[in-house]
Amino acid sequence: MTVLFGEVIGKGTERVCYINKKNPKTCFKVSRRGHSKQTLREAKYFEYLKRNNVVPTFMPKYIGFYEEDDLYILEQERIGSGEHETVKTIKEFISEATEIELKQLERVLDNLKCEMIQLNVIVSDMRTTNGYVVLYKGEIDRVVFFDGYGIPEFIPLANIFSWAGKRKIQRQWNKFLRYYHNDLKMFAKNKVTFK
């Protein structure tokens, strides 16, 4: 397969994210072989979920994993590429949201947490800058975490045992809530009591 990289739409410490020139509804997360721990972990986890027919609403759809020259390439859904869709990071959304919009966001997040536990899907790096609020015609449609999937442990007990997965999800959720509440305080929205 020949990969055609389009415009750069994101950059992290390990990889660069490009629009797919052949299909702008998908994107490529690209890392070099010597600096690809996160990409390999995510690809392995996405393949594991695919084998088990697990398709969460809060995860970009996984398309495939490719190797080209000295690159590892992860192809997935490009969030916000649908008609009438716009995206904001959770942090950006919080900075502009009204009380009513925050309540709506918190209902979506509460459902997201329930879905994570039900499907036993783990996001290892949940931050308000690592997730998108997807808006359809200006209304909240869903929240998607675009990074940090997979389990860094050598023996992934959280994949094997749902009780271990639930504990790990709760720990990650508690970290996420700390970021969330810090953002609320920063943007003077401290009347909200989301837990």
Side-chain angles (χ1 to χ4, degrees):
M1 173 182 178
T2 303
V3 174
L4 291 176
F5 299 125
E7 174 190 346
V8 173
I9 53 172
K11 219 172 201 177
T13 52
E14 183 181 293
R15 53 195 178 178
V16 180
C17 189
Y18 300 89
I19 292 176
N20 178 357
K21 243 184 177 174
K22 286 183 181 174
N23 177 9
K25 290 196 175 290
T26 73
C27 62
F28 299 117
K29 289 181 176 177
V30 182
S31 57
R32 300 226 170 258
R33 281 183 194 269
H35 199 57
S36 56
K37 190 192 291 186
Q38 188 178 7
T39 299
L40 292 173
R41 182 172 67 233
E42 280 190 6
K44 185 178 175 184
Y45 194 63
F46 289 152
E47 288 291 341
Y48 164 79
L49 294 176
K50 186 177 178 180
R51 280 194 309 275
N52 289 283
N53 295 312
V54 177
V55 185
T57 63
F58 55 84
M59 175 187 277
K61 288 181 184 75
Y62 172 66
I63 311 299
F65 176 71
Y66 321 109
E67 296 179 45
E68 201 169 276
D69 301 322
D70 69 333
L71 303 176
Y72 286 130
I73 303 163
L74 189 67
E75 184 180 4
Q76 63 187 43
E77 169 192 15
R78 187 176 136 227
I79 304 301
S81 63
E83 195 176 349
H84 305 298
E85 274 187 351
T86 54
V87 294
K88 297 178 182 182
T89 66
I90 298 169
K91 186 170 189 163
E92 288 169 327
F93 185 85
I94 291 169
S95 75
E96 303 166 1
T98 65
E99 290 288 325
I100 291 169
E101 289 169 330
L102 285 173
K103 292 289 186 195
Q104 290 169 342
L105 172 62
E106 289 165 5
R107 279 195 296 275
V108 171
L109 288 170
D110 202 32
N111 290 336
L112 186 154
K113 181 189 175 189
C114 290
E115 185 183 0
M116 278 183 173
I117 291 168
Q118 181 188 1
L119 298 177
N120 196 37
V121 173
I122 293 144
V123 185
S124 301
D125 188 18
M126 291 177 65
R127 299 170 187 263
T128 55
T129 53
N130 218 19
Y132 283 137
V133 178
V134 181
L135 303 161
Y136 180 75
K137 293 186 176 179
E139 296 291 320
I140 299 172
D141 182 48
R142 62 182 176 141
V143 170
V144 178
F145 284 95
F146 53 82
D147 249 346
Y149 286 94
I151 301 170
E153 290 88 7
F154 180 69
I155 299 173
L157 291 178
N159 280 353
I160 301 163
F161 302 107
S162 58
W163 58 266
K166 186 175 180 179
R167 285 174 59 184
K168 188 164 189 69
I169 290 165
Q170 188 61 57
R171 281 196 307 273
Q172 296 302 329
W173 192 259
N174 291 342
K175 284 183 192 173
F176 169 71
L177 285 181
R178 286 196 292 275
Y179 293 117
Y180 184 88
H181 286 130
N182 285 341
D183 288 346
L184 285 176
K185 286 176 190 167
M186 185 179 10
F187 300 117
K189 304 288 186 190
N190 51 13
K191 291 180 186 173
V192 178
T193 56
F194 185 54
K195 293 178 182 171

